[in-house]
Structures are given as C-alpha cells and as structure tokens.
Amino acid sequence: MKDFISVRQLDEGSFYFIYELYKGFRDRYKAGETKLSDLKGYSVLLPFFESSTRTRTSFELAGKILGADTINISGSSSSVKKGETLYDTIKTLEAMQSDFIVLRHYMSGAAHIVAKHVKSRIINAGDGSHEHPSQAVLDAITILEKKGKINGLKIAIIGDILHSRVARSQIHLFHMLGANITICGPRTMLPRHLEQFEVNFVTTNINEALKEKDVAIFLRIQLERQKKVFFSTLNEYSIKYGLNRDRVNLLKDDAIIMHPGPVNRGVEIQSELVYGNRSVILDQVENGLFTRMAIYKFLLNQ
C-alpha cells in the first residue's frame, strides 16, 4: 500500500499494526526521545487547499520529529489561485522529488486523482465531504486507549453527518472493528441512501441516540459546505442537538465525549462540557501527533 487515501484500505490487522507503531512512538517521545531518524533523508510536502490548524500542524510536527524535511504549501498562495489545475500543481510539486505528499483539498476524490498520477506516497488529509482517514484512525485509537476495546461498544455520532468526511471515515472503521453505531442529526443533515451506511440505528432524536452509549462523538456543523439552509438558527440547533448537562446523564457513567474539532462552543457542546471530566477532546489532539507518525512509518514499511 503506497498511499493512505481511505480507511477502506485498512483491515483489522493493519489498523492494529498502526496502533502498535503509535504506542511505540508515544512511549519513546514521552521518555524524552523527541528527535527520531525514521524519516531522515525523506521529504514531506503539505499542500493544504483548505484552511486547517490541527491536521496540518499535526502532520508537519510528526514529520519533523521523525527527521523529515517538511514544506508547507498554502492553497491561498499557490498557483491554483492563478488558474492552475490541481493535477498540474501536484506534478510540479512532485518534480521537487517529494517522498510524501499530505494533501487536503476541497474537492471530494482529490487524493484518489492525485495518487493515480504521481509516484510520491499520498496521504489524504481530508477531501471535500468524502473522507478524513487519519482522523478516524486517531479517534479509534483514542477510544482504545480510554475504553480498552472497540468491539461491542455503543457509539453515537451526532451532528452534520451529510457534510462530514470525518463521519464517513469513522463509520466504516468503527464498523470494521465491531462497534455498534448510531447516527443522529436533523433530517436535513442526514445523507440520502442511508442503507449504504454501515450503521445499526438512525434517529433524529438526540436523547434516543445518547441513551446508554459508551462513546458520544459530536461533529462540527460544516457551514462552509452548506449551499442552502439546513436549520433555522444555531440556537435552535443547540437546543435540539447540542450536548448539555441533562443530556450527559443519558450516557453510561463511564462514557467519553469526543469531537474532531474545532468545536463551536455552545452549539455542538455546552461550553463547560468541552473540557469536562468526560471529554477526551484534548487527548484526541495529542494522540493525533503519534497516530500520524505511525501512518508515515506504516507507509514507509509497505
């Protein structure tokens, strides 16, 4: 496997192999080994044609810790703004002899297209409303770290499912690992053809979705992808689908709360719950660094 475009490329064995690499890098880093040489002599280009803080910084820092030369390419300053096509831009970047290209793009399927035409290893850092595979992997690892397993857990994914690349990656990966999955959101924000999604239950009632769940994942409303109005106001959305003090009590006593970030405080999650005692949102951010180190190493070994 040269590229990491989709979680559908992983089977259970390869996921747990990435998890073992993750644990090794995490333990070494926390023991003081903050400069490694696994990617020494390799170059990583990070062309991000959509704005990002967490994902871009995480992949960049992961590459630097592993000893790679990393170069950021901002979509706002690239030749794409001057009319150059995605293919021409990537071919130009590849001419710089990059070993890895970590690509984020606003077009669904962009990473697949690029991977067919370049020799560099392509890592999909989010393509339109299609997939965000590294986020799903780090979320699964966070659940493993906190709950000790994924098989048999009851997981609720709540929010803007229709526009969420994170949800699409999570659903497939969690299903493969044996979780029982509920999705919930306004009817206008649920995808058509739900029978194609690997979920156990679909509801528009958040109280029903949260009841007795082990994990609750709240998604950011993708306002930048919405070309029409899907709900009246943010306040209405918060009232009907936001996590508040009362709804927390519907979860199991040892349940964890997750969000891929950035959080719209007071909309998806009540402000005081964002970093509350059940929240593992900051753990997700930290685990993202070691997960992305593991993904680089995983591809290098293929």
Side-chain angles (χ1 to χ4, degrees):
M1 178 169 125
K2 176 180 77 75
D3 309 303
F4 185 40
I5 306 299
S6 167
V7 292
R8 295 179 182 275
Q9 295 173 269
L10 301 177
D11 56 20
E12 194 168 349
S14 56
F15 168 77
Y16 281 104
F17 181 58
I18 290 173
Y19 180 48
E20 290 302 315
L21 291 171
Y22 156 90
K23 289 193 292 184
F25 285 132
R26 177 202 61 195
D27 293 346
R28 290 171 67 187
Y29 188 87
K30 293 195 172 184
E33 292 186 64
T34 58
K35 293 293 183 182
L36 307 177
S37 58
D38 298 71
L39 291 186
K40 187 176 181 180
Y42 290 86
S43 60
V44 177
L45 294 180
L46 298 107
F48 273 56
F49 298 101
E50 279 188 328
S51 60
S52 168
T53 300
R54 289 166 179 78
T55 303
R56 181 187 55 77
T57 303
S58 183
F59 268 116
E60 181 182 11
L61 185 55
K64 287 181 182 297
I65 292 171
L66 292 174
D69 296 316
T70 63
I71 304 171
N72 271 299
I73 308 289
S74 171
S76 62
S77 61
S78 73
S79 295
V80 171
K81 289 291 183 180
K82 303 171 186 175
E84 187 173 75
T85 67
L86 169 65
Y87 174 74
D88 288 334
T89 298
I90 294 300
K91 290 298 284 185
T92 299
L93 295 175
E94 188 190 31
M96 301 177 191
Q97 304 298 313
S98 59
D99 298 291
F100 294 87
I101 296 176
V102 181
L103 175 68
R104 169 167 287 193
H105 202 275
Y106 49 81
M107 182 178 71
S108 297
H112 288 267
I113 294 169
V114 172
K116 290 179 181 178
H117 296 286
V118 301
K119 296 178 182 178
S120 305
R121 299 171 180 87
I122 304 299
I123 299 176
N124 183 4
D127 59 333
S129 298
H130 180 230
E131 276 216 49
H132 195 346
S134 66
Q135 182 69 47
V137 173
L138 76 88
D139 289 341
I141 285 174
T142 301
I143 294 170
L144 267 178
E145 293 280 285
K146 295 297 180 180
K147 305 297 292 182
K149 65 175 185 176
I150 293 179
N151 186 42
L153 291 183
K154 294 181 178 180
I155 301 176
I157 304 174
I158 297 159
D160 187 2
I161 309 291
L162 178 63
H163 300 97
S164 178
R165 55 193 171 207
V166 173
R168 282 170 172 76
S169 292
Q170 287 174 337
I171 287 168
H172 179 77
L173 184 58
F174 296 167
H175 172 78
M176 182 187 72
L177 297 173
N180 181 293
I181 305 167
T182 293
I183 61 173
C184 173
R187 192 169 300 280
T188 55
M189 299 169 83
L190 294 175
R192 296 180 181 180
H193 309 299
L194 282 167
E195 68 278 1
Q196 298 178 10
F197 282 69
E198 301 154 306
V199 300
N200 302 88
F201 188 61
V202 179
T203 181
T204 59
N205 185 317
I206 189 173
N207 293 340
E208 190 175 40
L210 292 176
K211 190 175 182 180
E212 290 298 303
K213 293 300 186 294
D214 299 288
V215 181
I217 302 174
F218 288 81
L219 301 172
R220 184 175 67 85
I221 299 174
Q222 305 279 315
L223 293 172
E224 70 277 11
R225 300 191 194 284
Q226 296 180 9
K227 297 180 180 178
K228 61 180 180 178
V229 177
F230 289 86
F231 52 89
S232 298
T233 65
L234 289 176
N235 185 57
E236 179 198 31
Y237 181 90
S238 177
I239 291 170
K240 291 186 176 181
Y241 293 98
L243 182 66
N244 56 37
R245 289 180 178 273
D246 292 333
R247 288 176 176 148
V248 163
N249 295 326
L250 295 170
L251 298 166
K252 289 184 178 179
D253 291 340
D254 61 347
I256 58 174
I257 298 164
M258 305 178 71
H259 194 298
V263 180
N264 293 308
R265 284 175 173 265
V267 180
E268 297 113 17
I269 303 177
Q270 201 167 26
S271 188
E272 61 267 30
L273 299 175
V274 172
Y275 299 135
N277 59 355
R278 294 186 185 220
S279 170
V280 297
I281 294 172
L282 291 180
D283 297 272
Q284 289 173 266
V285 176
E286 179 179 339
N287 293 346
L289 172 63
F290 305 116
T291 298
R292 285 157 178 144
M293 291 170 67
I295 289 169
Y296 281 132
K297 184 68 172 181
F298 175 74
L299 291 180
L300 201 60
N301 290 342
Q302 299 303 300

